[in-house]
Amino acid sequence: MSELKAENTIRIGVLTYRDLDSTQIKWSSLSDYLQQKIPDANIQIITKTFDELGQGVASRNLDFIIANPAHYLEWAQRYGLSAPLVTLVKESQGNPVRAFGGVIFTHTDNPAIQSLNDVVASRIAVTSPRSFGGFLMQKYELYQHGHELKESSLIKVGMPHDLVIKAVMDNEADVGFIRSGVLEDLAERGGLELENIKIINEQDLPGYPFLVSTRLYPEWVVAALPMTEPKLMKKLTSALLDIEPDSEIARDLAIYGFSVPADYSQVLNVLEELRSPPFDVIPELSFSDVFARYRWQLSGSVLFFAILTFLSLYLLFVRRQLSEEIETVNESRKQLNQKASELLNANEQLEKLAAVFIHSHDGIMLTDEDNNIVEVNDAFCRITGFSREEVLGHNPRILSSGRQPGEFYKNLWKNVKELGAWTGEVWNRNRHGELFAELLTISEIRDSDGLHKGYVGVFTDITQIKEHQQKIEYLAHYDVLTKLPNRFLLTDRMKQALAQAKRHQTKVAVVFIDLDGFKEVNDQLGHEAGDDLLITLSQKMLTHIRDGDTLARLGGDEFVAVLIDITEEQNCINTIDRLLECVRDTHIQSMNYHGLTASAGVTFFPDSEADDPEQLLRQADHAMYHAKLTGKDRYHFFDIAEDSSIRGHHQSLGFIREGLEKNQFVLFYQPKVNLISREVIGAEALIRWQHPERGLLPPSEFLPLIEGDRLDFEIGEWVIKSAIEQIEIWQSQGLKVPVSVNISGQHLLKSGFVDALKEALSKAPAVNSQCLEIEVLETTALDDVEKVASVMRECINLGVNFSLDDFGTGYSTLALLQQLPANTLKIDRSFVRDILSDQNDLEIVKGIINLAESFKRLVVAEGVESEAHGELLKSLGCELGQGYGIAKPMPADAFPGWIKSWSEINRKSS
């Protein structure tokens, strides 16, 4: 990576809640200081409101941010910010203040507010429900005490916090929520008498200089955006850590300085438990959610084993008492019988508890006061490989894998000591040296007097789940044969490259490479030899590109190279020449096959006027075909003038619009069936164009032409309207058939889509809205998952179902499954078609079916072309399918007859 140039600009966004101009002046001194520390860059510090700073992070128009921990964690989750670089340290009377808390206060003249119980039913003034120090801390404290705030009780006065104090003092609110230090600051400025303030739930925190009602959390954080260079991050971090407490810059900013980053996991826990951003959208059930949701049951388990320990001690006591009482001659028979009965009951209960301990499928480990192992169960031995005798008396660290840093265990034991328990995922190592993942809960055991007696650890082996998840992730993003990035990972890499090129004003070259005559290799030498050739060629081509460049395989014999930081086209040409020469030099020694060549098409960003990966790939593909037409074994640069062949596009749109107006479009219906019961479970509506001159045209002839045009929305609305009308017609004939329709991503996200759908359903009141299903391409949601999920939920509220179409062809599949409320996955036909002969496709289909089962989703296989396909899918656990092996798409009036024929055939065969 090159050194910073003088013209480089470092943009630092600072979150502010006060006047932007005055805050900008305050922070300008930091800009001057950093300019001295980093002279080879132009330092810009920009103060922004929360919304403005969020937009700057989302659009990546900044390099660094300085913000409160809650907003940082929200943006880090959504936009991939770096780990904290440093933590802001504030100053109070010459002493560092590294944390802040929330304050709950009222007027001293208000006798009705004395405790947290009184706060919930009062009028509460807050700056904003998004404020961490001014709302979320207090809400969490109330939540921990068993209270929940209602939105109706809040009076939102806006920033700054002074407005909250004013509202309480003016009796416009009963209670106020602000961050710590604000009361003291306002009093110091003469705007408040602290004697008029009453603190609710006041905390006694030795050494902390401010009034506070909640626990403390780390101060503001400095972090970098994803594209920021590591060298630049180091320079800024070093400069901030160099600020001395008594320096001029520290006095100007009224801070003590900056420190190494604090642990923000407490803040993350607060946001997650309160379901505040980024946890405001509830994902599908995950392992962490299970343990968060059943924490009381876990606490019950801890209590259970504490009782077990207590009963063991109690049993020893009872036995000793019984022995002494037997030796006492004057003890009555009644007392002896009573004690004997107590002993029998205690023994019986102890045996039951011991049976649970022994037969539990979870590993259980008990330690003494010094954290040495005193007992383990059979499941512990099975999972770790250690026998009971091998671990007794040892510290549990004998299982340590070294994979977690020391700081991880430091925080773990800190939580156990402060909260009494800790739950999380840990990688450990078994007796044979093999790593395994476990979901572990550690709880402290105390006796009836509250004295520490040891710990109990309960864990579940989740290694297979982790491995399965990693395998699915890999299959979704990489080509199985060559291990190169596939189309979906390529798209993401290209987006990053384009963003970097815009920022640094450089070029990106997209090179589309297609092997010449590769079909002959497969035909003459066989597919195995062809696969070997592709693997060898992939590895050789990788040696001719730089580390920052990307080489991907789209499928077959098509490759794409993305070359970044292009300043001179000649450098790019040299790389392309080496790639083509690499192909010429590749041969199969075992078959003595020579003569392989390749054709390449090249386009440049931003020269080609294309601004997204798909356009650039189409341009490079177009240029590649020109290279083939002009003789192969060469490259050709994309020429905008040559691309004018699309001049007939608008004319084609006119013909399509005329066809829509003249009712030339029709819907065909392809059945979906249960492969086991053979029952027809629905149909997919597929559009066709009954062209007056060219006959019946498939969607591939016209749908690509309307992409991005208003016609896309008009035809989509026609499809929905026509499908609902057909459902109503079939219902009148006694036939209840759910129908799914395909909707483009642009149409789904179009303003007014939900209202139009509601209107279409209202015109057919006899139709149950659950009979309509909308199929959305998996790739539709990639650009704006949250917005797509929001629209889907609105439609689901109308009763409409959703399915993810062409599943497995998209990027970030697991994230989509967690966020999108679709109850059905449709496996793309490109995977299903070759599962009888292609092991890679078979593994992908298996993975998708297992994934659907894990997330409790239905799965439908497209492309069921034969009875053999159906049998194999059933054996894999996929019960639903559609394809030519069942029935081809047919006109609506032929569908009832087909169902009758299908039912008769299956009745006879059964």
Side-chain angles (χ1 to χ4, degrees):
M1 191 172 292
S2 62
E3 290 292 321
L4 290 170
K5 296 184 174 62
E7 65 270 23
N8 283 350
T9 298
I10 301 176
R11 294 172 294 275
I12 305 174
V14 180
L15 179 63
T16 180
Y17 299 115
R18 296 183 179 271
D19 177 63
L20 289 176
D21 293 335
S22 61
T23 310
Q24 183 71 46
I25 294 172
K26 171 185 174 182
W27 285 93
S28 62
S29 57
L30 179 61
S31 176
D32 297 337
Y33 167 78
L34 292 176
Q35 191 66 65
Q36 296 175 2
K37 286 287 188 175
I38 313 176
D40 47 2
N42 177 25
I43 307 297
Q44 289 185 2
I45 292 186
I46 310 157
T47 57
K48 292 178 176 287
T49 65
F50 168 71
D51 290 334
E52 292 172 344
L53 190 59
Q55 292 171 4
V57 173
S59 59
R60 297 188 177 178
N61 288 330
L62 299 169
D63 299 287
F64 299 92
I65 64 164
I66 302 177
N68 80 43
H71 296 329
Y72 156 70
L73 290 171
E74 174 184 351
W75 294 329
Q77 188 86 354
R78 290 180 175 168
Y79 305 117
L81 300 185
S82 73
L85 302 179
V86 293
T87 293
L88 178 69
V89 181
K90 294 205 170 183
E91 181 269 342
S92 175
Q93 299 181 350
N95 297 314
V97 181
R98 305 178 187 277
F100 70 113
V103 181
I104 305 173
F105 72 96
T106 185
H107 199 289
T108 52
D109 295 337
N110 189 344
I113 309 297
Q114 299 294 334
S115 67
L116 293 178
N117 292 334
D118 306 321
V119 171
V120 179
S122 63
R123 299 173 299 161
I124 304 172
V126 299
T127 57
S128 166
R130 296 293 300 277
S131 173
F132 186 57
F135 179 70
L136 294 177
M137 287 184 183
Q138 295 86 341
K139 181 180 179 181
Y140 184 70
E141 198 68 28
L142 287 164
Y143 174 74
Q144 291 296 309
H145 285 79
H147 304 298
E148 287 207 29
L149 289 179
K150 296 181 180 179
E151 186 76 17
S152 59
S153 66
L154 301 183
I155 301 173
K156 304 165 190 172
V157 300
M159 284 292 184
H161 287 275
D162 301 2
L163 296 177
V164 175
I165 300 173
K166 183 177 183 303
V168 175
M169 293 294 101
D170 293 346
N171 200 28
E172 295 173 0
D174 302 316
V175 176
F177 289 178
I178 57 175
R179 69 162 280 162
S180 59
V182 175
L183 292 172
E184 291 82 355
D185 178 62
L186 187 57
E188 185 177 343
R189 289 188 274 122
L192 177 68
E193 293 292 338
L194 289 179
E195 292 78 7
N196 296 328
I197 295 297
K198 177 167 58 177
I199 305 301
I200 307 302
N201 196 45
E202 183 173 358
Q203 302 294 305
D204 182 14
L205 303 176
Y208 192 68
F210 302 129
L211 296 170
V212 67
S213 302
T214 72
R215 61 203 73 192
L216 299 181
Y217 301 89
E219 270 288 359
W220 284 29
V221 62
V222 180
L225 270 72
M227 302 303 295
T228 305
E229 299 179 9
K231 185 177 294 184
L232 182 57
M233 295 162 62
K234 292 180 180 178
K235 288 190 174 186
L236 181 71
T237 301
S238 177
L240 294 176
L241 291 174
D242 284 344
I243 295 177
E244 296 293 336
D246 57 350
S247 63
E248 181 179 356
I249 176 62
R251 290 192 297 272
D252 289 345
L253 294 176
I255 64 172
Y256 193 83
F258 292 88
S259 71
V260 295
D263 179 7
Y264 291 94
S265 60
Q266 286 179 284
V267 181
L268 193 65
N269 290 338
V270 171
L271 299 179
E272 186 171 9
E273 287 208 43
L274 295 182
R275 289 298 180 190
S276 294
F279 302 102
D280 48 336
V281 177
I282 299 177
E284 290 299 319
L285 199 62
S286 65
F287 290 103
S288 61
D289 283 335
V290 170
F291 280 89
R293 182 177 301 175
Y294 296 105
R295 60 181 182 276
W296 296 114
Q297 287 86 336
L298 289 175
S299 300
S301 298
V302 173
L303 181 61
F304 167 82
F305 291 110
I307 292 173
L308 177 63
T309 305
F310 172 79
L311 288 177
S312 298
L313 297 173
Y314 177 71
L315 179 60
L316 292 174
F317 171 77
V318 172
R319 284 176 173 169
R320 187 177 296 111
Q321 283 288 98
L322 183 60
S323 176
E324 292 175 356
E325 290 171 358
I326 291 175
E327 295 173 0
T328 303
V329 177
N330 297 325
E331 187 169 2
S332 68
R333 180 172 297 178
K334 181 178 179 181
Q335 290 176 322
L336 287 172
N337 291 337
Q338 182 179 354
K339 291 298 181 181
S341 177
E342 290 177 1
L343 179 60
L344 289 174
N345 290 336
N347 269 325
E348 183 178 344
Q349 188 170 4
L350 184 60
E351 289 174 359
K352 291 178 180 178
L353 294 176
V356 173
F357 178 83
I358 294 171
H359 299 294
S360 172
H361 290 289
D362 292 337
I364 303 174
M365 168 179 57
L366 295 174
T367 67
D368 59 15
E369 297 91 330
D370 299 323
N371 205 24
N372 293 319
I373 300 173
V374 296
E375 191 58 84
V376 297
N377 69 348
D378 292 344
F380 174 96
C381 299
R382 172 176 51 80
I383 296 172
T384 67
F386 285 98
S387 67
R388 177 176 177 274
E389 291 72 18
E390 289 175 315
V391 298
L392 291 185
H394 289 278
N395 189 287
R397 70 171 62 95
I398 64 171
L399 300 173
S400 176
S401 65
R403 188 159 176 171
Q404 289 86 209
E407 190 68 21
F408 171 86
Y409 291 104
K410 181 179 178 181
N411 292 331
L412 183 156
W413 288 111
K414 179 182 178 183
N415 278 4
V416 173
K417 291 177 180 178
E418 292 180 354
L419 305 176
W422 177 89
T423 297
E425 293 182 3
V426 177
W427 283 93
N428 275 335
R429 197 177 298 277
N430 65 20
R431 187 179 186 276
H432 309 294
E434 300 166 342
L435 287 172
F436 68 94
E438 63 180 55
L439 195 57
L440 170 66
T441 294
I442 299 176
S443 304
E444 185 179 17
I445 300 175
R446 292 183 179 272
D447 62 16
S448 57
D449 296 325
L451 297 177
H452 171 71
K453 305 303 292 182
Y455 301 97
V456 57
V458 182
F459 63 91
T460 302
D461 187 350
I462 58 172
T463 308
Q464 290 187 346
I465 295 174
K466 284 287 187 182
E467 292 174 349
H468 181 66
Q469 181 179 350
Q470 292 172 358
K471 181 178 180 182
I472 292 298
E473 290 281 1
Y474 184 85
L475 291 173
H477 305 130
Y478 288 90
D479 175 52
V480 177
L481 178 65
T482 63
K483 314 305 182 195
L484 295 177
N486 61 16
R487 187 183 193 96
F488 316 109
L489 184 54
L490 170 67
T491 299
D492 183 68
R493 295 269 182 91
M494 289 180 68
K495 288 180 180 178
Q496 296 182 36
L498 299 187
Q500 182 176 330
K502 289 178 182 177
R503 294 180 59 187
H504 298 291
Q505 297 184 349
T506 57
K507 294 182 180 181
V508 175
V510 179
V511 185
F512 198 112
I513 303 171
D514 186 272
L515 303 184
D516 302 324
F518 182 72
K519 184 177 182 299
E520 297 176 3
V521 175
N522 281 332
D523 293 343
Q524 296 177 19
L525 307 179
H527 287 281
E528 184 175 349
D531 289 347
D532 290 341
L533 178 62
L534 290 175
I535 294 171
T536 301
L537 181 58
S538 300
Q539 297 305 312
K540 291 181 65 176
M541 285 197 291
L542 282 173
T543 64
H544 293 289
I545 63 174
R546 298 165 299 175
D547 290 340
D549 300 332
T550 297
L551 178 67
R553 181 188 178 212
L554 298 187
D557 57 352
E558 294 178 340
F559 297 85
V560 171
V562 179
L563 312 179
I564 63 173
D565 294 333
I566 302 296
T567 56
E568 298 291 337
E569 290 189 4
Q570 186 58 46
N571 295 336
C572 172
I573 292 173
N574 293 339
T575 301
I576 298 171
D577 284 334
R578 289 195 299 270
L579 290 172
L580 296 184
E581 184 64 29
C582 167
V583 177
R584 297 187 198 104
D585 292 343
T586 301
H587 63 279
I588 305 175
Q589 291 183 345
S590 61
M591 300 294 182
N592 196 26
Y593 184 89
H594 299 269
L596 187 67
T597 61
S599 300
V602 188
T603 188
F604 290 95
F605 172 85
D607 296 352
S608 63
E609 299 182 1
D611 60 358
D612 69 74
E614 288 301 323
Q615 284 182 289
L616 290 168
L617 286 173
R618 283 196 296 269
Q619 290 179 353
D621 187 24
H622 181 84
M624 182 273 294
Y625 276 106
H626 192 282
K628 283 189 178 291
L629 292 174
T630 54
K632 303 181 180 179
D633 191 20
R634 64 194 65 203
Y635 59 84
H636 181 77
F637 290 104
F638 175 77
D639 188 340
I640 297 177
E642 291 177 356
D643 201 43
S644 62
S645 60
I646 63 172
R647 57 188 177 274
H649 179 68
H650 292 294
Q651 183 179 9
S652 299
L653 289 178
F655 291 143
I656 296 173
R657 182 173 298 281
E658 181 181 0
L660 182 61
E661 294 172 351
K662 293 184 177 181
N663 295 320
Q664 294 174 358
F665 290 95
V666 295
L667 290 181
F668 275 43
Y669 296 85
Q670 186 175 36
K672 292 185 283 187
V673 304
N674 187 304
L675 300 174
I676 297 176
S677 68
R678 315 295 284 183
E679 177 187 3
V680 178
I681 61 157
E684 181 179 1
L686 302 167
I687 192 170
R688 300 288 188 266
W689 185 5
Q690 190 64 59
H691 197 280
E693 297 175 1
R694 300 171 60 192
L696 191 66
L697 301 180
S700 59
E701 290 287 328
F702 54 91
L703 288 186
L705 298 174
I706 66 173
E707 184 177 354
D709 190 83
R710 181 180 178 81
L711 265 173
D712 184 14
F713 310 142
E714 295 176 6
I715 289 181
E717 291 175 358
W718 176 87
V719 169
I720 292 175
K721 172 176 170 292
S722 300
I724 293 174
E725 290 176 352
Q726 188 57 56
I727 294 173
E728 190 172 32
I729 292 173
W730 282 337
Q731 280 187 182
S732 66
Q733 299 172 355
L735 193 63
K736 185 177 181 181
V737 180
V739 174
S740 59
V741 296
N742 294 276
I743 295 299
S744 71
Q746 292 175 324
H747 187 191
L748 182 71
L749 297 178
K750 179 179 180 292
S751 176
F753 173 83
V754 178
D755 291 335
L757 177 62
K758 186 185 300 183
E759 181 180 355
L761 289 168
S762 67
K763 292 181 179 179
V767 173
N768 186 337
S769 57
Q770 292 186 342
C771 287
L772 180 66
E773 181 182 75
I774 296 177
E775 295 188 9
V776 181
L777 285 176
E778 184 189 8
T779 51
T780 292
L782 296 182
D783 291 332
D784 197 341
V785 176
E786 291 184 2
K787 187 173 181 181
V788 171
S790 176
V791 174
M792 290 174 67
R793 283 191 291 271
E794 288 188 67
C795 296
I796 290 172
N797 289 337
L798 299 177
V800 176
N801 293 313
F802 273 89
S803 65
L804 286 182
D805 197 14
D806 294 352
F807 189 81
T809 63
Y811 186 71
S812 298
T813 302
L814 291 178
L816 286 178
L817 264 183
Q818 291 178 326
Q819 298 183 55
L820 297 183
N823 63 338
T824 302
L825 311 180
K826 297 192 72 175
I827 307 176
D828 185 60
R829 60 174 53 86
S830 63
F831 298 135
V832 177
R833 182 181 56 239
D834 296 326
I835 58 174
L836 297 176
S837 58
D838 191 321
Q839 185 64 29
N840 293 331
D841 285 348
L842 179 60
E843 290 298 321
I844 292 175
V845 170
K846 284 181 180 178
I848 294 174
I849 293 172
N850 291 335
L851 198 62
E853 182 179 358
S854 298
F855 283 87
K856 304 296 187 295
R857 307 294 175 88
L858 298 175
V859 61
V860 178
E862 296 179 313
V864 180
E865 307 296 336
S866 67
E867 191 69 21
H869 282 87
E871 292 299 320
L872 180 53
L873 287 167
K874 286 194 295 182
S875 69
L876 297 177
C878 177
E879 298 181 3
L880 310 179
Q882 71 179 90
Y884 278 27
I886 297 169
K888 295 181 178 180
M890 64 191 74
D893 56 2
F895 200 87
W898 179 86
I899 289 184
K900 182 178 180 181
S901 175
W902 171 266
S903 300
E904 291 176 356
I905 292 174
N906 288 299
R907 187 163 51 248
K908 293 178 181 179
S909 62
S910 62

